[in-house]
Amino acid sequence: MTIKITHFETHDIRFPTSLTGDGTDAMNTDCDYSSAYVTIYTDSGLIGHGMTFTIGRGTDIVCHAIRELAGRLVGRDPESFFENMGKAWDWMCSDSQLRWIGPEKGVIHLATAAVNNALWDMFARARGKPLWKLIVDMTPEELVNATAFRYITDVLTREEALEMLKAKEAGKREREALVTKVGYPAYITSAGWLGYSDEKVSRLTKEAIASGFNHFKMKVGADFKDDLRRGKMIRSIIDDPANYPSGFKDPSSPELAGKSAGPTGAVLMIDANQVWDVPQAIEYVTGLAEIKPWFIEEPTAPDDALGHAAIRRALKPYGIGVATGEHAHNRMVFKQLFQAEAIDVCQIDSCRLAGVSEVLSVLLMAAKFGVPVCPHAGGVGLCEYVIHLSVIDYVAISGTMERNVLEFSDHLHEHFPYRCTMNERGRYNVPSNPKEGYSIEMYKESIAEFEWPNGSYWVGASGGKKLST
């Protein structure tokens, strides 16, 4: 029986994380973690949920763009999209008037992410599988057909991608069994926000160690002396064997090679969130070399591929790598980062890129260039999303997770019925519920409480007076 998409709903959902300093860094000092959220409905009862991540003001603008894009789906048979999700993605980006306000960047691209992610969620739910399982069960040909290739065929053709995927077919089921058993490696960010006190950073770092983490990230870029002091404080905690009563990793193990691991096998990363010009970045990070960071994340403007390449060359003698991608707004930026040999670590974002089909193109390029993918996940719903993407990368595309670590931020998971979970090794558990799709369904009660401007929390925060947008 043919089914039709009948309607959709959008929600501007904002959480008051600025009150506690969650998410604070040198560039973003007052984040209210937010979600531009969409649910797409059909006449069969099949639904799909999607969102894109924002940090407060402007979420309503993204929701307006989502409505423009989602409206094009109404009346269509979703199975016609599921047959070839790459072609569906191209069609979603093809409205010439909407494309003009990008193209393929900014608000319209964020909105495309929410709608494309919702369509993928619907696809996975229709097949009764978590999203990662839907994709790793695809044949190489089906996976290629699900991928966005426009503008990247100078570095990766469909034919090359097909050969890469076929080469990884051997051992795919063994990799799936392994990651399902042991979990996917992770690092923690939520111990190192810039707005936290020393006491809170110290306490959260020790709690993270007790939870099995051995990769830690701290925010930098507001004050050099304070960053150096905080870095030394964190190093003193993560490098102290006394904080590892159950034992610690061998710093000479292969998965830690080149990561400047300390005596306990602990790895420290630093993140500047784009605050510097290129010469500033080089000078500042060189000065932090004594805290031995594995990489500096987002040292400069996110779409400056040549700037990142210059920083990488300058920092290489110090053993410090470069990571970026959280704000790389499309696959073409990643293409140029790879071509320029500008990054050591690729940090895809599930919502900055325009949904799963574009993410697949970046995962394939990263595998071709041999760059490990360590997705960004500092924000509401992002951890729920990206565990699927990392498992897809390991099982079907790159075939490796030995040096990869997926960001974990311990905020707001309670708002999702299919929330991500961690095991005692500090690794993500692999989603297993056949009903969860892309894991981004949000509780209706959470939407009612935190929808802007008239959710119960925001009405209460204004003394009972409804807020205007």
Side-chain angles (χ1 to χ4, degrees), residues 124 129-136 356 363 382-394 406 418 428 430-433 436-440:
K129 298 179 180 182
L131 178 92
W132 71 266
K133 180 63 171 167
L134 171 76
I135 293 179
V136 303
V356 176
L363 295 180
L382 299 186
C383 294
E384 279 68 28
Y385 265 156
V386 294
I387 178 56
H388 291 269
L389 304 178
S390 285
V391 174
I392 292 163
D393 178 56
Y394 170 56
L406 171 53
Y418 303 110
Y428 276 84
V430 175
S432 59
N433 192 316
E436 68 185 281
Y438 202 1
S439 304
I440 209 64

PDB file of all heavy atoms in Angstrom, residues 124 129-136 356 363 382-394 406 418 428 430-433 436-440:
ATOM      1  N   ALA A 124      14.796   4.304   8.902  1.00  0.00           N
ATOM      2  CA  ALA A 124      15.244   3.276   9.852  1.00  0.00           C
ATOM      3  C   ALA A 124      14.071   2.683  10.623  1.00  0.00           C
ATOM      4  O   ALA A 124      13.990   1.461  10.839  1.00  0.00           O
ATOM      5  CB  ALA A 124      16.270   3.869  10.811  1.00  0.00           C
ATOM      6  N   LYS A 129      15.036  -0.956  12.401  1.00  0.00           N
ATOM      7  CA  LYS A 129      16.451  -1.044  12.762  1.00  0.00           C
ATOM      8  C   LYS A 129      16.934   0.309  13.288  1.00  0.00           C
ATOM      9  O   LYS A 129      16.458   1.355  12.843  1.00  0.00           O
ATOM     10  CB  LYS A 129      17.305  -1.393  11.536  1.00  0.00           C
ATOM     11  CG  LYS A 129      17.008  -2.740  10.900  1.00  0.00           C
ATOM     12  CD  LYS A 129      17.907  -2.958   9.677  1.00  0.00           C
ATOM     13  CE  LYS A 129      17.637  -4.303   9.015  1.00  0.00           C
ATOM     14  NZ  LYS A 129      18.533  -4.542   7.859  1.00  0.00           N
ATOM     15  N   PRO A 130      17.918   0.299  14.217  1.00  0.00           N
ATOM     16  CA  PRO A 130      18.615   1.555  14.496  1.00  0.00           C
ATOM     17  C   PRO A 130      19.292   2.041  13.211  1.00  0.00           C
ATOM     18  O   PRO A 130      19.652   1.233  12.346  1.00  0.00           O
ATOM     19  CB  PRO A 130      19.646   1.165  15.554  1.00  0.00           C
ATOM     20  CG  PRO A 130      19.226  -0.161  16.076  1.00  0.00           C
ATOM     21  CD  PRO A 130      18.471  -0.835  14.970  1.00  0.00           C
ATOM     22  N   LEU A 131      19.508   3.335  13.093  1.00  0.00           N
ATOM     23  CA  LEU A 131      20.041   3.885  11.852  1.00  0.00           C
ATOM     24  C   LEU A 131      21.361   3.237  11.436  1.00  0.00           C
ATOM     25  O   LEU A 131      21.557   2.896  10.266  1.00  0.00           O
ATOM     26  CB  LEU A 131      20.232   5.395  11.973  1.00  0.00           C
ATOM     27  CG  LEU A 131      20.828   5.995  10.702  1.00  0.00           C
ATOM     28  CD1 LEU A 131      19.749   6.459   9.760  1.00  0.00           C
ATOM     29  CD2 LEU A 131      21.815   7.093  10.998  1.00  0.00           C
ATOM     30  N   TRP A 132      22.287   3.071  12.400  1.00  0.00           N
ATOM     31  CA  TRP A 132      23.589   2.505  12.034  1.00  0.00           C
ATOM     32  C   TRP A 132      23.422   1.126  11.407  1.00  0.00           C
ATOM     33  O   TRP A 132      24.120   0.781  10.440  1.00  0.00           O
ATOM     34  CB  TRP A 132      24.519   2.435  13.248  1.00  0.00           C
ATOM     35  CG  TRP A 132      24.147   1.395  14.280  1.00  0.00           C
ATOM     36  CD1 TRP A 132      23.387   1.579  15.392  1.00  0.00           C
ATOM     37  CD2 TRP A 132      24.490  -0.003  14.266  1.00  0.00           C
ATOM     38  NE1 TRP A 132      23.234   0.403  16.080  1.00  0.00           N
ATOM     39  CE2 TRP A 132      23.905  -0.584  15.419  1.00  0.00           C
ATOM     40  CE3 TRP A 132      25.227  -0.802  13.403  1.00  0.00           C
ATOM     41  CZ2 TRP A 132      24.042  -1.945  15.728  1.00  0.00           C
ATOM     42  CZ3 TRP A 132      25.375  -2.162  13.704  1.00  0.00           C
ATOM     43  CH2 TRP A 132      24.787  -2.717  14.854  1.00  0.00           C
ATOM     44  N   LYS A 133      22.495   0.324  11.947  1.00  0.00           N
ATOM     45  CA  LYS A 133      22.291  -1.040  11.464  1.00  0.00           C
ATOM     46  C   LYS A 133      21.668  -1.017  10.070  1.00  0.00           C
ATOM     47  O   LYS A 133      22.026  -1.823   9.197  1.00  0.00           O
ATOM     48  CB  LYS A 133      21.403  -1.797  12.446  1.00  0.00           C
ATOM     49  CG  LYS A 133      21.114  -3.248  12.065  1.00  0.00           C
ATOM     50  CD  LYS A 133      22.358  -4.103  12.036  1.00  0.00           C
ATOM     51  CE  LYS A 133      22.004  -5.583  11.877  1.00  0.00           C
ATOM     52  NZ  LYS A 133      23.208  -6.392  11.542  1.00  0.00           N
ATOM     53  N   LEU A 134      20.730  -0.084   9.842  1.00  0.00           N
ATOM     54  CA  LEU A 134      20.143   0.077   8.510  1.00  0.00           C
ATOM     55  C   LEU A 134      21.242   0.278   7.469  1.00  0.00           C
ATOM     56  O   LEU A 134      21.239  -0.351   6.397  1.00  0.00           O
ATOM     57  CB  LEU A 134      19.201   1.278   8.514  1.00  0.00           C
ATOM     58  CG  LEU A 134      18.664   1.732   7.146  1.00  0.00           C
ATOM     59  CD1 LEU A 134      17.581   0.777   6.661  1.00  0.00           C
ATOM     60  CD2 LEU A 134      18.136   3.166   7.223  1.00  0.00           C
ATOM     61  N   ILE A 135      22.221   1.140   7.788  1.00  0.00           N
ATOM     62  CA  ILE A 135      23.237   1.488   6.798  1.00  0.00           C
ATOM     63  C   ILE A 135      24.316   0.417   6.669  1.00  0.00           C
ATOM     64  O   ILE A 135      24.732   0.086   5.550  1.00  0.00           O
ATOM     65  CB  ILE A 135      23.833   2.870   7.126  1.00  0.00           C
ATOM     66  CG1 ILE A 135      22.745   3.941   6.923  1.00  0.00           C
ATOM     67  CG2 ILE A 135      25.058   3.165   6.251  1.00  0.00           C
ATOM     68  CD1 ILE A 135      23.182   5.353   7.243  1.00  0.00           C
ATOM     69  N   VAL A 136      24.771  -0.171   7.762  1.00  0.00           N
ATOM     70  CA  VAL A 136      25.820  -1.198   7.616  1.00  0.00           C
ATOM     71  C   VAL A 136      25.276  -2.464   6.967  1.00  0.00           C
ATOM     72  O   VAL A 136      26.050  -3.259   6.415  1.00  0.00           O
ATOM     73  CB  VAL A 136      26.520  -1.529   8.958  1.00  0.00           C
ATOM     74  CG1 VAL A 136      27.112  -0.286   9.582  1.00  0.00           C
ATOM     75  CG2 VAL A 136      25.588  -2.247   9.927  1.00  0.00           C
ATOM     76  N   VAL A 356      22.542  12.822   7.025  1.00  0.00           N
ATOM     77  CA  VAL A 356      23.315  11.591   6.915  1.00  0.00           C
ATOM     78  C   VAL A 356      23.959  11.427   5.544  1.00  0.00           C
ATOM     79  O   VAL A 356      25.112  11.002   5.430  1.00  0.00           O
ATOM     80  CB  VAL A 356      22.428  10.367   7.236  1.00  0.00           C
ATOM     81  CG1 VAL A 356      23.196   9.065   7.031  1.00  0.00           C
ATOM     82  CG2 VAL A 356      21.908  10.451   8.677  1.00  0.00           C
ATOM     83  N   LEU A 363      32.768  10.829   5.464  1.00  0.00           N
ATOM     84  CA  LEU A 363      33.364   9.604   6.004  1.00  0.00           C
ATOM     85  C   LEU A 363      34.164   8.873   4.924  1.00  0.00           C
ATOM     86  O   LEU A 363      35.273   8.384   5.190  1.00  0.00           O
ATOM     87  CB  LEU A 363      32.287   8.680   6.558  1.00  0.00           C
ATOM     88  CG  LEU A 363      31.493   9.170   7.776  1.00  0.00           C
ATOM     89  CD1 LEU A 363      30.457   8.121   8.179  1.00  0.00           C
ATOM     90  CD2 LEU A 363      32.404   9.497   8.947  1.00  0.00           C
ATOM     91  N   LEU A 382      23.321  15.668  20.157  1.00  0.00           N
ATOM     92  CA  LEU A 382      24.405  15.295  19.250  1.00  0.00           C
ATOM     93  C   LEU A 382      25.028  13.953  19.615  1.00  0.00           C
ATOM     94  O   LEU A 382      25.392  13.174  18.732  1.00  0.00           O
ATOM     95  CB  LEU A 382      25.480  16.392  19.215  1.00  0.00           C
ATOM     96  CG  LEU A 382      25.009  17.764  18.730  1.00  0.00           C
ATOM     97  CD1 LEU A 382      26.199  18.716  18.590  1.00  0.00           C
ATOM     98  CD2 LEU A 382      24.262  17.659  17.400  1.00  0.00           C
ATOM     99  N   CYS A 383      25.172  13.675  20.894  1.00  0.00           N
ATOM    100  CA  CYS A 383      25.713  12.364  21.293  1.00  0.00           C
ATOM    101  C   CYS A 383      24.780  11.244  20.824  1.00  0.00           C
ATOM    102  O   CYS A 383      25.243  10.183  20.387  1.00  0.00           O
ATOM    103  CB  CYS A 383      25.893  12.290  22.801  1.00  0.00           C
ATOM    104  SG  CYS A 383      27.144  13.408  23.472  1.00  0.00           S
ATOM    105  N   GLU A 384      23.471  11.483  20.930  1.00  0.00           N
ATOM    106  CA  GLU A 384      22.500  10.490  20.466  1.00  0.00           C
ATOM    107  C   GLU A 384      22.675  10.221  18.971  1.00  0.00           C
ATOM    108  O   GLU A 384      22.570   9.078  18.509  1.00  0.00           O
ATOM    109  CB  GLU A 384      21.080  10.979  20.757  1.00  0.00           C
ATOM    110  CG  GLU A 384      20.602  10.763  22.184  1.00  0.00           C
ATOM    111  CD  GLU A 384      21.319  11.609  23.224  1.00  0.00           C
ATOM    112  OE1 GLU A 384      21.796  12.717  22.879  1.00  0.00           O
ATOM    113  OE2 GLU A 384      21.415  11.191  24.390  1.00  0.00           O
ATOM    114  N   TYR A 385      22.930  11.270  18.208  1.00  0.00           N
ATOM    115  CA  TYR A 385      23.137  11.135  16.766  1.00  0.00           C
ATOM    116  C   TYR A 385      24.449  10.422  16.414  1.00  0.00           C
ATOM    117  O   TYR A 385      24.473   9.462  15.653  1.00  0.00           O
ATOM    118  CB  TYR A 385      23.188  12.526  16.126  1.00  0.00           C
ATOM    119  CG  TYR A 385      21.901  13.068  15.556  1.00  0.00           C
ATOM    120  CD1 TYR A 385      21.722  14.449  15.428  1.00  0.00           C
ATOM    121  CD2 TYR A 385      20.874  12.239  15.107  1.00  0.00           C
ATOM    122  CE1 TYR A 385      20.560  14.978  14.875  1.00  0.00           C
ATOM    123  CE2 TYR A 385      19.714  12.768  14.556  1.00  0.00           C
ATOM    124  CZ  TYR A 385      19.564  14.136  14.448  1.00  0.00           C
ATOM    125  OH  TYR A 385      18.418  14.662  13.888  1.00  0.00           O
ATOM    126  N   VAL A 386      25.563  10.939  16.937  1.00  0.00           N
ATOM    127  CA  VAL A 386      26.855  10.598  16.329  1.00  0.00           C
ATOM    128  C   VAL A 386      27.360   9.196  16.651  1.00  0.00           C
ATOM    129  O   VAL A 386      28.217   8.684  15.923  1.00  0.00           O
ATOM    130  CB  VAL A 386      27.940  11.644  16.656  1.00  0.00           C
ATOM    131  CG1 VAL A 386      27.603  12.969  16.015  1.00  0.00           C
ATOM    132  CG2 VAL A 386      28.141  11.786  18.151  1.00  0.00           C
ATOM    133  N   ILE A 387      26.836   8.565  17.696  1.00  0.00           N
ATOM    134  CA  ILE A 387      27.250   7.181  17.908  1.00  0.00           C
ATOM    135  C   ILE A 387      26.871   6.335  16.697  1.00  0.00           C
ATOM    136  O   ILE A 387      27.623   5.446  16.273  1.00  0.00           O
ATOM    137  CB  ILE A 387      26.655   6.598  19.218  1.00  0.00           C
ATOM    138  CG1 ILE A 387      27.054   5.129  19.391  1.00  0.00           C
ATOM    139  CG2 ILE A 387      25.154   6.761  19.284  1.00  0.00           C
ATOM    140  CD1 ILE A 387      28.552   4.860  19.367  1.00  0.00           C
ATOM    141  N   HIS A 388      25.745   6.621  16.074  1.00  0.00           N
ATOM    142  CA  HIS A 388      25.363   5.905  14.851  1.00  0.00           C
ATOM    143  C   HIS A 388      26.405   6.132  13.751  1.00  0.00           C
ATOM    144  O   HIS A 388      26.812   5.188  13.056  1.00  0.00           O
ATOM    145  CB  HIS A 388      23.996   6.395  14.355  1.00  0.00           C
ATOM    146  CG  HIS A 388      22.853   6.011  15.226  1.00  0.00           C
ATOM    147  ND1 HIS A 388      22.127   4.852  15.044  1.00  0.00           N
ATOM    148  CD2 HIS A 388      22.302   6.640  16.298  1.00  0.00           C
ATOM    149  CE1 HIS A 388      21.168   4.783  15.959  1.00  0.00           C
ATOM    150  NE2 HIS A 388      21.253   5.860  16.724  1.00  0.00           N
ATOM    151  N   LEU A 389      26.847   7.371  13.592  1.00  0.00           N
ATOM    152  CA  LEU A 389      27.774   7.706  12.508  1.00  0.00           C
ATOM    153  C   LEU A 389      29.136   7.065  12.713  1.00  0.00           C
ATOM    154  O   LEU A 389      29.770   6.597  11.757  1.00  0.00           O
ATOM    155  CB  LEU A 389      27.897   9.226  12.390  1.00  0.00           C
ATOM    156  CG  LEU A 389      26.584   9.979  12.193  1.00  0.00           C
ATOM    157  CD1 LEU A 389      26.826  11.478  12.128  1.00  0.00           C
ATOM    158  CD2 LEU A 389      25.847   9.496  10.943  1.00  0.00           C
ATOM    159  N   SER A 390      29.605   7.037  13.953  1.00  0.00           N
ATOM    160  CA  SER A 390      30.907   6.420  14.227  1.00  0.00           C
ATOM    161  C   SER A 390      30.871   4.906  14.010  1.00  0.00           C
ATOM    162  O   SER A 390      31.838   4.318  13.516  1.00  0.00           O
ATOM    163  CB  SER A 390      31.362   6.739  15.657  1.00  0.00           C
ATOM    164  OG  SER A 390      31.812   8.078  15.740  1.00  0.00           O
ATOM    165  N   VAL A 391      29.767   4.269  14.378  1.00  0.00           N
ATOM    166  CA  VAL A 391      29.655   2.825  14.151  1.00  0.00           C
ATOM    167  C   VAL A 391      29.600   2.534  12.649  1.00  0.00           C
ATOM    168  O   VAL A 391      30.217   1.574  12.166  1.00  0.00           O
ATOM    169  CB  VAL A 391      28.431   2.250  14.893  1.00  0.00           C
ATOM    170  CG1 VAL A 391      28.234   0.782  14.534  1.00  0.00           C
ATOM    171  CG2 VAL A 391      28.601   2.397  16.401  1.00  0.00           C
ATOM    172  N   ILE A 392      28.876   3.362  11.896  1.00  0.00           N
ATOM    173  CA  ILE A 392      28.854   3.203  10.437  1.00  0.00           C
ATOM    174  C   ILE A 392      30.267   3.312   9.872  1.00  0.00           C
ATOM    175  O   ILE A 392      30.690   2.503   9.038  1.00  0.00           O
ATOM    176  CB  ILE A 392      27.939   4.272   9.796  1.00  0.00           C
ATOM    177  CG1 ILE A 392      26.477   4.020  10.165  1.00  0.00           C
ATOM    178  CG2 ILE A 392      28.105   4.295   8.273  1.00  0.00           C
ATOM    179  CD1 ILE A 392      25.568   5.221   9.919  1.00  0.00           C
ATOM    180  N   ASP A 393      31.005   4.319  10.323  1.00  0.00           N
ATOM    181  CA  ASP A 393      32.378   4.510   9.846  1.00  0.00           C
ATOM    182  C   ASP A 393      33.238   3.280  10.136  1.00  0.00           C
ATOM    183  O   ASP A 393      33.946   2.771   9.255  1.00  0.00           O
ATOM    184  CB  ASP A 393      32.988   5.746  10.509  1.00  0.00           C
ATOM    185  CG  ASP A 393      34.426   5.971  10.097  1.00  0.00           C
ATOM    186  OD1 ASP A 393      34.691   6.065   8.886  1.00  0.00           O
ATOM    187  OD2 ASP A 393      35.299   6.039  10.989  1.00  0.00           O
ATOM    188  N   TYR A 394      33.167   2.779  11.352  1.00  0.00           N
ATOM    189  CA  TYR A 394      34.008   1.636  11.739  1.00  0.00           C
ATOM    190  C   TYR A 394      33.616   0.358  11.006  1.00  0.00           C
ATOM    191  O   TYR A 394      34.467  -0.331  10.424  1.00  0.00           O
ATOM    192  CB  TYR A 394      33.915   1.416  13.243  1.00  0.00           C
ATOM    193  CG  TYR A 394      34.548   0.120  13.708  1.00  0.00           C
ATOM    194  CD1 TYR A 394      35.877  -0.171  13.420  1.00  0.00           C
ATOM    195  CD2 TYR A 394      33.805  -0.819  14.430  1.00  0.00           C
ATOM    196  CE1 TYR A 394      36.456  -1.370  13.835  1.00  0.00           C
ATOM    197  CE2 TYR A 394      34.372  -2.003  14.844  1.00  0.00           C
ATOM    198  CZ  TYR A 394      35.697  -2.277  14.544  1.00  0.00           C
ATOM    199  OH  TYR A 394      36.259  -3.470  14.944  1.00  0.00           O
ATOM    200  N   LEU A 406      35.146   9.339  20.086  1.00  0.00           N
ATOM    201  CA  LEU A 406      33.914  10.077  19.845  1.00  0.00           C
ATOM    202  C   LEU A 406      33.626  10.961  21.052  1.00  0.00           C
ATOM    203  O   LEU A 406      33.669  10.508  22.194  1.00  0.00           O
ATOM    204  CB  LEU A 406      32.778   9.072  19.623  1.00  0.00           C
ATOM    205  CG  LEU A 406      31.340   9.564  19.549  1.00  0.00           C
ATOM    206  CD1 LEU A 406      31.180  10.666  18.522  1.00  0.00           C
ATOM    207  CD2 LEU A 406      30.420   8.391  19.237  1.00  0.00           C
ATOM    208  N   TYR A 418      15.478   7.402  23.818  1.00  0.00           N
ATOM    209  CA  TYR A 418      16.536   6.507  23.338  1.00  0.00           C
ATOM    210  C   TYR A 418      17.898   7.156  23.541  1.00  0.00           C
ATOM    211  O   TYR A 418      18.724   7.222  22.640  1.00  0.00           O
ATOM    212  CB  TYR A 418      16.296   6.165  21.863  1.00  0.00           C
ATOM    213  CG  TYR A 418      14.944   5.547  21.604  1.00  0.00           C
ATOM    214  CD1 TYR A 418      13.956   6.255  20.914  1.00  0.00           C
ATOM    215  CD2 TYR A 418      14.628   4.274  22.071  1.00  0.00           C
ATOM    216  CE1 TYR A 418      12.708   5.693  20.673  1.00  0.00           C
ATOM    217  CE2 TYR A 418      13.379   3.713  21.844  1.00  0.00           C
ATOM    218  CZ  TYR A 418      12.422   4.431  21.146  1.00  0.00           C
ATOM    219  OH  TYR A 418      11.185   3.866  20.916  1.00  0.00           O
ATOM    220  N   TYR A 428      30.984   4.389  24.374  1.00  0.00           N
ATOM    221  CA  TYR A 428      29.564   4.406  24.030  1.00  0.00           C
ATOM    222  C   TYR A 428      29.054   2.984  23.825  1.00  0.00           C
ATOM    223  O   TYR A 428      29.696   2.175  23.150  1.00  0.00           O
ATOM    224  CB  TYR A 428      29.349   5.137  22.713  1.00  0.00           C
ATOM    225  CG  TYR A 428      29.252   6.636  22.769  1.00  0.00           C
ATOM    226  CD1 TYR A 428      30.394   7.434  22.779  1.00  0.00           C
ATOM    227  CD2 TYR A 428      28.006   7.267  22.760  1.00  0.00           C
ATOM    228  CE1 TYR A 428      30.305   8.818  22.778  1.00  0.00           C
ATOM    229  CE2 TYR A 428      27.907   8.650  22.755  1.00  0.00           C
ATOM    230  CZ  TYR A 428      29.059   9.416  22.770  1.00  0.00           C
ATOM    231  OH  TYR A 428      28.964  10.789  22.767  1.00  0.00           O
ATOM    232  N   VAL A 430      26.486   0.652  21.846  1.00  0.00           N
ATOM    233  CA  VAL A 430      25.917   0.745  20.509  1.00  0.00           C
ATOM    234  C   VAL A 430      24.396   0.663  20.603  1.00  0.00           C
ATOM    235  O   VAL A 430      23.863  -0.243  21.248  1.00  0.00           O
ATOM    236  CB  VAL A 430      26.466  -0.386  19.611  1.00  0.00           C
ATOM    237  CG1 VAL A 430      25.785  -0.387  18.248  1.00  0.00           C
ATOM    238  CG2 VAL A 430      27.979  -0.230  19.441  1.00  0.00           C
ATOM    239  N   PRO A 431      23.656   1.594  19.991  1.00  0.00           N
ATOM    240  CA  PRO A 431      22.185   1.555  20.047  1.00  0.00           C
ATOM    241  C   PRO A 431      21.646   0.224  19.519  1.00  0.00           C
ATOM    242  O   PRO A 431      22.118  -0.287  18.496  1.00  0.00           O
ATOM    243  CB  PRO A 431      21.771   2.716  19.135  1.00  0.00           C
ATOM    244  CG  PRO A 431      22.938   3.652  19.149  1.00  0.00           C
ATOM    245  CD  PRO A 431      24.145   2.763  19.242  1.00  0.00           C
ATOM    246  N   SER A 432      20.650  -0.313  20.210  1.00  0.00           N
ATOM    247  CA  SER A 432      20.180  -1.654  19.864  1.00  0.00           C
ATOM    248  C   SER A 432      18.677  -1.783  19.723  1.00  0.00           C
ATOM    249  O   SER A 432      18.180  -2.816  19.285  1.00  0.00           O
ATOM    250  CB  SER A 432      20.651  -2.658  20.926  1.00  0.00           C
ATOM    251  OG  SER A 432      20.158  -2.297  22.211  1.00  0.00           O
ATOM    252  N   ASN A 433      17.914  -0.743  20.078  1.00  0.00           N
ATOM    253  CA  ASN A 433      16.456  -0.843  20.031  1.00  0.00           C
ATOM    254  C   ASN A 433      15.967  -0.709  18.592  1.00  0.00           C
ATOM    255  O   ASN A 433      16.238   0.303  17.941  1.00  0.00           O
ATOM    256  CB  ASN A 433      15.834   0.246  20.905  1.00  0.00           C
ATOM    257  CG  ASN A 433      14.357   0.036  21.152  1.00  0.00           C
ATOM    258  OD1 ASN A 433      13.608  -0.301  20.231  1.00  0.00           O
ATOM    259  ND2 ASN A 433      13.925   0.238  22.380  1.00  0.00           N
ATOM    260  N   GLU A 436      14.164   2.682  17.618  1.00  0.00           N
ATOM    261  CA  GLU A 436      14.685   4.019  17.903  1.00  0.00           C
ATOM    262  C   GLU A 436      15.124   4.814  16.682  1.00  0.00           C
ATOM    263  O   GLU A 436      15.360   6.016  16.773  1.00  0.00           O
ATOM    264  CB  GLU A 436      15.825   3.955  18.916  1.00  0.00           C
ATOM    265  CG  GLU A 436      17.112   3.306  18.455  1.00  0.00           C
ATOM    266  CD  GLU A 436      18.104   3.218  19.613  1.00  0.00           C
ATOM    267  OE1 GLU A 436      18.740   4.234  19.926  1.00  0.00           O
ATOM    268  OE2 GLU A 436      18.234   2.125  20.206  1.00  0.00           O
ATOM    269  N   GLY A 437      15.271   4.182  15.529  1.00  0.00           N
ATOM    270  CA  GLY A 437      15.680   4.930  14.350  1.00  0.00           C
ATOM    271  C   GLY A 437      17.003   5.621  14.564  1.00  0.00           C
ATOM    272  O   GLY A 437      18.011   4.994  14.886  1.00  0.00           O
ATOM    273  N   TYR A 438      17.013   6.954  14.449  1.00  0.00           N
ATOM    274  CA  TYR A 438      18.224   7.761  14.609  1.00  0.00           C
ATOM    275  C   TYR A 438      18.346   8.311  16.028  1.00  0.00           C
ATOM    276  O   TYR A 438      19.133   9.218  16.281  1.00  0.00           O
ATOM    277  CB  TYR A 438      18.203   8.890  13.577  1.00  0.00           C
ATOM    278  CG  TYR A 438      19.531   9.498  13.218  1.00  0.00           C
ATOM    279  CD1 TYR A 438      20.737   9.057  13.769  1.00  0.00           C
ATOM    280  CD2 TYR A 438      19.594  10.544  12.302  1.00  0.00           C
ATOM    281  CE1 TYR A 438      21.942   9.644  13.416  1.00  0.00           C
ATOM    282  CE2 TYR A 438      20.798  11.132  11.944  1.00  0.00           C
ATOM    283  CZ  TYR A 438      21.965  10.683  12.507  1.00  0.00           C
ATOM    284  OH  TYR A 438      23.170  11.276  12.164  1.00  0.00           O
ATOM    285  N   SER A 439      17.549   7.795  16.955  1.00  0.00           N
ATOM    286  CA  SER A 439      17.665   8.037  18.409  1.00  0.00           C
ATOM    287  C   SER A 439      17.371   9.462  18.843  1.00  0.00           C
ATOM    288  O   SER A 439      17.716   9.842  19.960  1.00  0.00           O
ATOM    289  CB  SER A 439      19.075   7.650  18.906  1.00  0.00           C
ATOM    290  OG  SER A 439      19.403   6.330  18.593  1.00  0.00           O
ATOM    291  N   ILE A 440      16.727  10.265  18.013  1.00  0.00           N
ATOM    292  CA  ILE A 440      16.581  11.683  18.339  1.00  0.00           C
ATOM    293  C   ILE A 440      15.165  12.060  18.766  1.00  0.00           C
ATOM    294  O   ILE A 440      14.875  13.241  19.015  1.00  0.00           O
ATOM    295  CB  ILE A 440      17.039  12.539  17.137  1.00  0.00           C
ATOM    296  CG1 ILE A 440      17.589  13.893  17.619  1.00  0.00           C
ATOM    297  CG2 ILE A 440      15.909  12.714  16.114  1.00  0.00           C
ATOM    298  CD1 ILE A 440      18.821  13.807  18.475  1.00  0.00           C
TER     299      ILE A 440
END
